[in-house]
Amino acid sequence: MWSADDVARAAVRRQGQGLSVAQVADKVAEAQRRERETRQQLHSPAVGCDPYDGDPEDLAEQWVARHAEWRRVAALTDAQGWPVYSPEGDVQGSTWARGRDAQREGALPRRAAWQMERQDERDEWKAQVWLSAEVSRRLRVIAARTGLEPEQVLAQLADQVRMDDDGALAVDAFIPP
């Protein structure tokens, strides 16, 4: 849902709060080092990679974004003359954070609806039924008289069936809608 830039901005806002100018400079240097290391890993053969390791391209992209964001925060604290970084005073960072929050708030109902739809799909059951020629003919006649497809007639029957205490199945007379 979030891009590498979004993740970097959120992480830097969270980690940067209250850091001095010197500490922010240290974060810039660390991000630069990590960006360089992850780029080098991209160009070196994958020796001894664990199947649970993350995607090296994704990791490199994240460190590029963090390095850029730490540089932006360093430039902002320098330009504003702040002794420490304050996310509340970071107008651009606050605008981005509000946008992410709005995106998340919009995504939550869509995700819930998607999960409900998936649950409904899991609860549905599709079956392939082989019927004798006689039963198949009767089913087709019933379907033609009711204006339904044979599968719809079977679904209506299944919807109306009940089981007695002794395990016998019974269907009361009904008229398909």
Side-chain angles (χ1 to χ4, degrees):
M1 183 169 98
W2 284 8
S3 69
D5 291 332
D6 289 331
V7 172
R9 290 171 186 149
V12 169
R13 269 179 79 79
R14 189 176 54 253
Q15 295 170 2
Q17 182 162 353
L19 293 184
S20 68
V21 173
Q23 289 171 316
V24 169
D26 289 343
K27 290 289 192 178
V28 171
E30 178 190 0
Q32 182 179 22
R33 179 182 55 80
R34 297 293 300 268
E35 177 184 354
R36 185 178 58 252
E37 290 172 355
T38 56
R39 283 181 190 234
Q40 288 171 349
Q41 288 175 352
L42 282 176
H43 302 297
S44 64
V47 177
C49 284
D50 189 340
Y52 299 107
D53 285 347
D55 180 12
E57 289 181 19
D58 185 44
L59 185 61
E61 184 180 345
Q62 288 178 27
W63 278 107
V64 167
R66 283 191 188 196
H67 184 206
E69 185 62 11
W70 279 117
R71 284 193 324 260
R72 187 190 71 78
V73 167
L76 177 67
T77 54
D78 184 45
Q80 298 293 329
W82 294 341
V84 296
Y85 174 67
S86 171
E88 294 80 28
D90 183 352
V91 175
Q92 188 174 22
S94 295
T95 300
W96 286 333
R98 282 192 301 277
R100 283 190 307 276
D101 290 343
Q103 183 181 10
R104 184 182 320 115
E105 291 301 315
L108 291 175
R110 288 191 306 271
R111 171 97 176 147
W114 176 79
Q115 285 177 320
M116 181 63 75
E117 185 177 299
R118 297 241 336 158
Q119 181 62 43
D120 289 347
E121 288 173 1
R122 281 192 295 268
D123 290 344
E124 289 178 357
W125 186 56
K126 295 177 183 167
Q128 189 173 23
V129 180
W130 295 94
L131 302 173
S132 68
E134 177 58 30
V135 172
S136 179
R137 278 191 286 274
R138 281 188 299 181
L139 179 59
R140 282 197 298 274
V141 168
I142 293 168
R145 287 183 183 167
T146 60
L148 300 172
E149 294 295 319
E151 295 85 4
Q152 293 172 312
V153 172
L154 290 176
Q156 298 250 338
L157 282 169
D159 192 42
Q160 299 293 324
V161 72
R162 60 181 161 70
M163 186 181 298
D164 294 339
D165 292 336
D166 60 354
L169 299 177
V171 177
D172 292 331
F174 71 97
I175 298 173

